[in-house]
Amino acid sequence: MFTEIQIIILSLKTSICAMLVVFPIGLSVAWLLTRTNIRGKFFIELLASLPLALPPVVTGYFFLWFLGSGSVFGSYIQTSLGISIPFSWIATVIASAVVAFPLTVRSFISAFQSVDFNLEQSARGLGAGGFKTFFAITIPLSKRGILAGLVLGFARAFSEFGATIVFAGNIPGETTTVPLAIYTSINTGNVESITKLIIASVVIAAITLALYNLLAQNGRKKINN
């Protein structure tokens, strides 16, 4: 039987990998929305925020439909790469990343908006291009906000349930994360397992939220100073 420790480790690994996926994409979207004059910003922001408003099961169903073996894209991946994404650990990572994406991007946007625009203008005036200014000025000055966004996204990814159970299923040892294991234990009446997993969830949630608040408070103090 898959132990609670293994389930927790699987959830932690899934959430970390989800953040590795979200990080570069989220930075790019936040940069487009705050540092460019690209047309269609409204639709980009709408698309980035959509998983926050949709029921997670709808998000999971969309990916099941889009990446399933019955779809053109899913069939192509399965034929060319020999990989079936639905009901796999990869699906768990995708589901966690997508539901965590909006919160992470919003934090990135807030972090970028807190950077003094005059400093970026000065760097450009000294000959730095847009990308060099972004990585040399914007990123270092907004790093606490970026880290806070990643921590918040991690917490959301760790707690994901709806999209995961639809898109990845509840396969012990592969896609059964802590929320799904708690759900299974409730249905089977395994009180001991429920207690252990809930305690672990509370501890991890408290640690991540405390870290998020610490990063956010330090960021606000830095802005005020």
Side-chain angles (χ1 to χ4, degrees):
M1 182 179 178
F2 215 56
T3 66
E4 288 78 14
I5 295 295
Q6 291 173 309
I7 292 169
I8 293 167
I9 291 173
L10 176 64
S11 292
L12 291 172
K13 183 174 72 170
T14 299
S15 301
I16 291 171
C17 289
M19 288 302 97
L20 292 176
V21 173
V22 167
F23 180 61
I25 302 173
L27 279 184
S28 301
V29 171
W31 177 75
L32 283 174
L33 294 176
T34 60
R35 293 298 186 271
T36 70
N37 294 318
I38 188 173
R39 296 182 64 180
K41 281 188 178 183
F42 172 81
F43 294 103
I44 294 174
E45 188 168 7
L46 178 65
L47 187 62
S49 301
L50 197 59
L52 188 64
L54 284 175
V57 291
V58 175
T59 302
Y61 181 77
F62 169 78
F63 279 102
L64 186 62
W65 168 78
F66 183 67
L67 295 173
S69 58
S71 71
V72 175
F73 190 61
S75 177
Y76 172 78
I77 292 176
Q78 189 168 355
T79 302
S80 59
L81 301 178
I83 299 173
S84 179
I85 295 179
F87 306 108
S88 68
W89 180 72
I90 296 175
T92 308
V93 174
I94 293 174
S96 299
V98 169
V99 297
F101 187 77
L103 291 177
T104 309
V105 169
R106 285 171 178 262
S107 296
F108 289 175
I109 290 173
S110 297
F112 291 164
Q113 289 174 339
S114 69
V115 176
D116 188 350
F117 187 67
N118 292 326
L119 294 175
E120 296 178 336
Q121 290 292 89
S122 298
R124 286 174 177 269
L126 293 173
F131 284 102
K132 186 174 181 180
T133 299
F134 180 70
F135 287 105
I137 303 296
T138 309
I139 293 292
L141 292 177
S142 58
K143 61 183 178 181
R144 288 189 178 276
I146 293 172
L147 289 173
L150 289 173
V151 170
L152 188 62
F154 173 87
R156 178 63 188 90
F158 188 86
S159 64
E160 163 52 28
F161 175 83
T164 301
I165 199 169
V166 173
F167 182 42
N170 189 2
I171 305 171
E174 187 170 357
T175 68
T176 300
T177 55
V178 168
L180 272 66
I182 293 174
Y183 174 77
T184 301
S185 296
I186 291 173
N187 286 335
T188 58
N190 190 341
V191 178
E192 183 180 355
S193 180
I194 294 171
T195 303
K196 291 178 181 178
L197 292 172
I198 287 178
I199 291 173
S201 298
V202 172
V203 170
I204 292 171
I207 292 172
T208 53
L209 290 177
L211 183 57
Y212 169 78
N213 289 332
L214 181 63
L215 290 167
Q217 287 174 4
N218 287 339
R220 286 193 291 267
K221 287 179 181 178
K222 188 173 181 181
I223 293 173
N224 293 332
N225 292 335

